[in-house]
Structure formats: C-alpha cells, structure tokens
Amino acid sequence: NVVPSPVSKTDLSTPPLFSEERSFEHLNELATHPRPTRSSSLTQAAAYVQATLRSYGWTVSRSGGGSVDNVIARFDGNGASRVGVAVSAHMDSVSAGPGATDDCVGVAVMLEIARLLPLSDPLYHDVYLLFVDGEESQMRGSTYFLKTHPWADEIAAVVNLEGSGAAIRESLTRANSRLMTTSYAQSVPHPHGHALAEFLYAKMNIGYTDLDMYHLYGMHGMDLIFTDQRYVYHTDQDNIDHVYSGAQQHEGDNVWAIVRCLANIEGLTKREDVDVSSIQWYSTPTIYSEAVYYDIPGQKFIELSIVAQYGISSMVIVLGSALVIGQKWIPFKSASLTFRSRDPVFRCFVFIVLSFLSSIIFAVALDFAAVYPSSSTSNDGGVIETSEKWQKHNMARIILYIFTAALGGFLPLIQLIRMDSKVKILMPTSAESPPPGSDANRLERSMFWAVMIWLLLGLVVTTAALPQMAYAPMWTVVFAVVAYLIEIGLTALLERYETDSWIDRLYLIRYCIIIVVPLIFILGPWIFLIADVCYFMDALQRSYATAALIAVACHSSLLMSLPLLLRGPATSVIKSAADLTQSLLPSAPGTNSISSSQAVQPNRLKAVYKVVCLFLSCFVLLMLIVCRAMT
C-alpha cells in the first residue's frame, strides 16, 4: 500500500501540516473501550471531543435529546454567504470492540484538522465538524442532526469518514456528484479509489453509512473508508493494534486538502433542495456520482464523466476493430476470418472461450474447497466462520487463485495442440525454423487475432452494461494494440539490419518489450483493482466472486502472453525446455526424436505445457494444504 510517512508533532512547517503523531494522541484517548450509544464511555468520548474543540477556538454545539449525543462544531469562513462544508465521523462503536478504525480514526483525524484550521489561511466558506452518535443504530445521530439542528441547512457538501476493517489506506468508495469526484481528483495528495466500488455498493447492498442520510438531505457527499483486513470489522480486533503507521497521515492529508478545495469554491450550493417532510429516513438510497474514476497506484487519479468514458471506449473499439478487419493488409496476417470450423482464428477463438470458462471454474472450485465446511467450532464452544479465517490470509489466497486460474487456462491449450497435431491447420510440419511470416507461425498469428477479437468483445459488453468499470478492459485492448505495433516496428527494423552483428541482442530486447511490458500494464491494473474489490466480496461473504474476478484478470494476461510465447523467433527458448522435457518423458513407439535445430512441433509444445500444468497442479495442491491448515 502507498501511504505517506507520518509527520511528527514537533514539525514547524509553515503553513502547518497534518500530524499523525498528534492524531494518535487523540486515538489513544478514545479507542480504549467499546462505546455503544447511551453508554458512559460514549459520554466520556463526547466530553473529550467537546473540550478539545473549544480549546482550539471552535464554536461547539452539543445536542441529542437524550437518545443520541452529537457534538457539532463550526469555524466561520470569510465569505458573505452562510454556506458550509462539513466533515463527519461517528463516535459510537459496536459493543464487541473499541472501534478504533470504525470510527475513532475518523474522529481523531477531524480533531487534528480542527487544530490546523485556525492556524492556516482563512477559507471562504464555513467549515463544520460533525461528530455524530448512533451510526451503528441505523444512523440515528446524523438523522437527529439533520432533522433538528439549524446548522444542517447551511451545509452544502460533506466528507464522511468511515472504517470497515483495519486502518491501512483509506479509499474513495462512494460519491454522489461530479463536484465531489472532481474536487477529490484535483486536490488530494494521496488519491486512492475505484468507481467499481461505487457500483458494487449500489448493486449489492453492502451496507450503509451516514452518507446515505446526507444524500437524502440534498448535500453533495463522499465516503472515505478504510477497507483492508475486513475480518477485524465489528470485532474486538478493531483496536489500535490494527491502525497502521501512515494510515492517519494518509487520510488526514487527503481530508485536509479536500476541505480546503471545497471551502474555497465560490457559488457552492447544495446538490438539490429537498422537502424534509418527504424524506424516508433510515432508508438506503442508490448513490451514483455519474463519474468514472480510478487511481494509478497511489500516484495519479483519473476522473472523467461516464459520457467521456463512452467516447474513449468507442474510439478504442473502432481502432481495434479496424485493426482486426484490416489485418489482411498488415504483416503477420492470418489466412482469413471466416469463422468456419477449419479456420485457424475460429479454432483459437474457441480455445479462448474454453480457457476463460476453465479458469473461472478452477478458481471458484478451489475457493469452495478452501472454505468447506462453512463453519467450525472453537475451543470455547463458539462457532467460527471458515470464510472469516480464509479472509485473514488475503495475499496467500490471491496467489492461490492466480495459479489455479492459470492452470485452468493452460489445459485447453494442450487439448488444442493435441487436436491440431492430426489436422495440421494451425501448425504445419516444418523441418527448419520458419521465417516470421510463414505458415509455420500460423498458430501464433491466429492466436493473436483471436485474442484481439475476444478483448474487443469484452470491452463492448462492459461499455454497454458496466460503463463505470470499462476502463479495465479498455486498457487491456490499448496495450494489446501497442504491443502489436511495437512488434511491427521492431520486425521492420530487424529485416532492414538483419546482417548486423547485434541482431541477437536486438531480438532479446524485442521480446522483453513485447512480452514483459504488456503483462505489466495488463496484470498490474487488474491486481490493484482486485485488491480493492476483495473487501466488497468479503463484506458479502462471497469470496468465490473474488476468485472469479482474479480468474478473469489472469486469463486476460495469459492471453496476451500466449501469442508472443508462440512466436517463431522466440521458440529457441521453448526448444531448450522441450529437449529437456522429451529426454525425461518416454517416446511413443515408432517415433523419432526431434533435433534441436528443428522448429517447435506440436508434440514439443504438448510436452512443455504438460510439465507446466504438472508444476501448477503441485503448487496449487501445496497452497491448498497450507491454506486449509491456516483456516
């Protein structure tokens, strides 16, 4: 995870910086005991918050009518209008644990921001800090504030802080307007978030936060949530030990930046005016920002409208389709695109479909095997969900899913080569190493165009049905096209200088570029996306959905590597492995061994991939045994 280094409380920077060390002092005061609504520990926490705010010079209002205990604070801006920006967190916790991440970290971060604001340049709009009670009891504290407090009508936008696991790195999980996503993209120093999380929250009913109430009241709003290590959520493990170094600095820097950005927007108004009497309180509305956003791991945050994403995806689809349709005028063309049974591209496309299904089936089946039975009995007689223990080993299970999905993807390839060894449609026999454009490279060329067609179909379906996550398949297609254009350029260069002494070195550079670069840019974004989506699947106790998503990502990367690994000039690497493999495997009666000078033949490839699948099978079995022992 990408988190900043904590800032010491002795830092003398001007203007002052958010200090995690100071925030931790507040956390140590608050996260000592569970704080259910109407408990003495909650009353003590509210008194501590109130006293701290007054010491910083804020105007403080404490209210609740006996049912909840809210602490609301205001710091006036220098603008003429009475419009404000708020930050919200809840002080209460479940009775099972002290609720360090859910939501003491948010409270502590807000108290440190309360210290910073009077010491910094004045802002245009008023700033409100909402320390609400009763979030764990159907959001009663935020509802009471919106119904009864006069300051509620003055707030136009709110940043809601939440925790649903361990505090490692907060994520932009939901937003209800482009104003919030655009401001986040333009201001925060450590961006992190994916629009897919917003989609899953809306469609799968993962849970609720106080943002639901602020949304009903017509405010602009966003949820910033800690989502790692879901298994500590609402347990006694949600303690200070699971608040990791840099987490509060990460959230504090981002919140401080977004507050200053929003509070200096002249003409800021509420998202919509609503009739309070018509609001269905305690409901969970569908929240959409109408934006597509994602980060390039902690460095760059990309945000654009859904309409813009439609346009970009359409351009990529047109470009990729033109490349496929016009491939007969481009080097390394396949014979045809007739999609008949003996057409090379059609045979490879069928393999891709089968490998896609096989990858998902293998990964999901392994997940069910890992969590079966669904529960077990602990030493003290309690029931422990196996799926909860399985979630504790997040990295181990992701690695397990990847290798299992790769195993499922490779198996149909062995069958494809075995069947083709009889009809010679994809791999005509040749006694010598073929030039790049010859028929002996038909398998590689046909596989590439089948992969392009598959990726384009995936992008078309995603753009039409799930536009907020169309960026993942879009970048897959983009880098597939880039890899192919690099291949054309380097091949032309090789043909021009084929007599030079550095030819072998250039071949090595060529294949490093066209194999490694696409895999990094395809598998990398998918893995970061998966790491974030794991939380939502865990929240629904649907780890099999995580397994399926990882299988899709692994399949996309596998497809990109296959055509390149099957390419004629690169087969010298495979031939060495094939020679070693054939020396270990018994030859069929009546067959002659193949010399190392010959091109890679179907039986060589089958032998190599059999060894690969054997290795993957052993690795997956070992991982499964280890994971079962851990759960």
Side-chain angles (χ1 to χ4, degrees):
N1 287 310
V2 183
V3 295
S5 300
V7 174
S8 170
K9 67 178 181 180
T10 58
D11 183 84
L12 300 177
S13 300
T14 304
L17 301 177
F18 182 95
S19 170
E20 179 176 293
E21 187 175 349
R22 291 180 182 274
S23 181
F24 240 115
E25 292 178 351
H26 298 306
L27 185 65
N28 286 326
E29 290 289 337
L30 295 168
T32 55
H33 299 89
R35 301 172 309 283
T37 299
R38 294 191 297 274
S39 65
S40 59
S41 55
L42 177 66
T43 302
Q44 293 173 5
Y48 174 82
V49 169
Q50 182 180 22
T52 303
L53 291 169
R54 284 179 174 168
S55 69
Y56 293 150
W58 286 64
T59 303
V60 183
S61 169
R62 188 170 176 181
S63 63
S67 59
V68 291
D69 195 354
N70 293 335
V71 179
I72 312 299
R74 185 179 74 186
F75 195 87
D76 294 338
N78 60 4
S81 64
R82 294 286 80 180
V83 175
V85 175
V87 185
S88 175
H90 65 90
M91 297 182 293
D92 63 311
S93 73
V94 295
S95 58
T101 303
D102 182 24
D103 191 21
C104 269
V105 168
V107 173
V109 165
M110 289 169 59
L111 289 176
E112 172 60 3
I113 289 176
R115 180 190 71 87
L116 289 177
L117 195 55
L119 303 177
S120 304
D121 295 335
L123 303 177
Y124 184 78
H125 294 298
D126 300 343
V127 175
Y128 296 84
L129 298 180
L130 314 179
F131 300 88
V132 297
D133 180 17
E135 192 273 347
E136 304 292 358
S137 304
Q138 294 187 320
M139 303 162 288
R140 295 185 183 277
S142 56
T143 303
Y144 182 87
F145 165 73
L146 295 173
K147 281 183 174 181
T148 64
H149 206 289
W151 290 351
D153 290 333
E154 300 174 4
I155 299 174
V158 59
V159 179
N160 187 55
L161 309 183
E162 261 289 2
S164 296
I168 297 178
R169 180 170 61 153
E170 55 85 8
S171 172
L172 172 58
T173 307
R174 292 192 299 172
N176 65 0
S177 69
R178 284 292 309 282
L179 171 70
M180 302 304 286
T181 56
T182 303
S183 299
Y184 183 91
Q186 293 175 348
S187 63
V188 299
H190 318 295
H192 179 49
H194 296 277
L196 179 58
E198 183 179 296
F199 173 83
L200 293 174
Y201 232 105
K203 294 296 183 182
M204 294 189 173
N205 193 25
I206 291 176
Y208 57 82
T209 70
D210 286 316
L211 177 63
D212 294 290
M213 299 300 100
Y214 302 137
H215 174 81
L216 291 174
Y217 204 73
M219 300 176 182
H220 299 278
M222 66 168 63
D223 262 336
L224 301 182
I225 305 180
F226 290 105
T227 60
D228 294 277
Q229 299 182 9
R230 169 73 182 185
Y231 60 88
V232 310
Y233 177 59
H234 281 184
T235 69
D236 58 356
Q237 297 183 64
D238 186 6
N239 50 39
I240 294 179
D241 293 338
H242 286 91
V243 179
Y244 294 91
S245 177
Q248 293 180 82
Q249 193 69 48
H250 182 271
E251 182 168 69
D253 288 347
N254 285 351
V255 174
W256 180 227
I258 191 69
V259 166
R260 286 181 295 161
C261 176
L262 292 170
N264 283 319
I265 298 177
E266 295 188 24
L268 180 66
T269 59
K270 294 178 68 173
R271 182 177 53 86
E272 61 177 340
D273 292 324
V274 297
D275 182 4
V276 178
S277 62
S278 64
I279 296 178
Q280 296 181 358
W281 298 105
Y282 311 119
S283 62
T284 52
T286 300
I287 294 178
Y288 275 121
S289 63
E290 298 298 326
V292 176
Y293 53 88
Y294 53 97
D295 69 293
I296 300 173
Q299 304 300 320
K300 180 67 175 177
F301 192 80
I302 298 175
E303 188 270 348
L304 64 162
S305 67
I306 291 182
V307 174
Q309 180 63 55
Y310 270 122
I312 297 174
S313 297
S314 300
M315 291 175 59
V316 173
I317 292 170
V318 170
L319 175 62
S321 301
L323 197 64
V324 172
I325 295 172
Q327 52 83 31
K328 61 183 179 180
W329 294 288
I330 300 177
F332 313 119
K333 61 181 181 294
S334 62
S336 63
L337 288 176
T338 57
F339 275 70
R340 293 189 293 238
S341 61
R342 293 184 64 83
D343 180 76
V345 178
F346 178 75
R347 296 175 73 88
C348 290
F349 187 82
V350 172
F351 148 72
I352 290 173
V353 175
L354 293 176
S355 67
F356 177 75
L357 297 175
S358 179
S359 294
I360 293 178
I361 290 172
F362 269 60
V364 173
L366 194 77
D367 179 78
F368 277 110
V371 300
Y372 181 84
S374 60
S375 62
S376 58
T377 304
S378 62
N379 294 332
D380 58 2
V383 176
I384 302 177
E385 292 293 329
T386 306
S387 57
E388 293 180 2
K389 294 186 289 183
W390 181 233
Q391 293 168 17
K392 296 182 180 181
H393 313 290
N394 201 42
M395 186 54 64
R397 63 180 179 140
I398 288 178
I399 294 174
L400 181 63
Y401 293 148
I402 290 175
F403 277 87
T404 308
L407 173 63
F410 267 112
L411 290 179
L413 177 63
I414 296 177
Q415 183 66 12
L416 174 72
I417 297 174
R418 186 189 69 81
M419 294 175 61
D420 190 71
S421 63
K422 299 178 181 179
V423 295
K424 305 295 189 298
I425 292 176
L426 292 173
M427 299 186 66
T429 302
S430 176
E432 297 180 356
S433 296
S438 67
D439 286 342
N441 284 290
R442 194 182 300 162
L443 172 59
E444 176 271 321
R445 291 181 283 110
S446 301
M447 184 68 73
F448 178 84
W449 294 115
V451 168
M452 281 297 299
I453 294 171
W454 172 261
L455 295 178
L456 284 169
L457 287 176
L459 178 56
V460 169
V461 172
T462 308
T463 302
L466 304 172
Q468 282 188 297
M469 65 168 294
Y471 60 89
M474 180 194 72
W475 282 112
T476 306
V477 173
V478 167
F479 285 106
V481 173
V482 169
Y484 182 66
L485 296 179
I486 291 175
E487 165 63 8
I488 293 176
L490 289 178
T491 301
L493 190 64
L494 285 173
E495 291 175 350
R496 181 176 180 181
Y497 299 103
E498 60 184 356
T499 59
D500 284 10
S501 59
W502 44 269
I503 185 75
D504 293 333
R505 188 176 302 173
L506 188 55
Y507 265 119
L508 177 61
I509 296 174
R510 169 195 192 189
Y511 287 103
C512 285
I513 292 175
I514 65 177
I515 293 176
V516 176
V517 173
L519 287 181
I520 290 175
F521 279 99
I522 291 171
L523 188 59
W526 274 103
I527 291 299
F528 279 103
L529 179 64
I530 289 165
D532 293 320
V533 173
C534 280
Y535 152 70
F536 297 100
M537 300 300 103
D538 293 343
L540 297 172
Q541 298 296 310
R542 295 177 183 174
S543 58
Y544 63 87
T546 303
L549 184 62
I550 290 177
V552 172
C554 184
H555 183 258
S556 299
S557 303
L558 178 65
L559 291 184
M560 277 301 301
S561 63
L562 280 179
L564 305 173
L565 293 176
L566 294 172
R567 190 175 296 279
T571 54
S572 58
V573 178
I574 301 179
K575 278 192 281 187
S576 300
D579 290 338
L580 177 61
T581 302
Q582 286 196 326
S583 67
L584 300 176
L585 297 177
S587 302
T591 59
N592 298 323
S593 62
I594 301 175
S595 66
S596 60
S597 62
Q598 291 177 313
V600 176
Q601 301 298 318
N603 57 343
R604 280 176 182 261
L605 283 175
K606 283 190 294 182
V608 172
Y609 284 114
K610 282 181 181 178
V611 172
V612 171
C613 290
L614 179 62
F615 168 76
L616 289 173
S617 300
C618 295
F619 185 85
V620 167
L621 180 61
L622 177 62
M623 287 287 292
L624 179 59
I625 293 173
V626 172
C627 289
R628 287 297 296 179
M630 291 188 296
T631 57

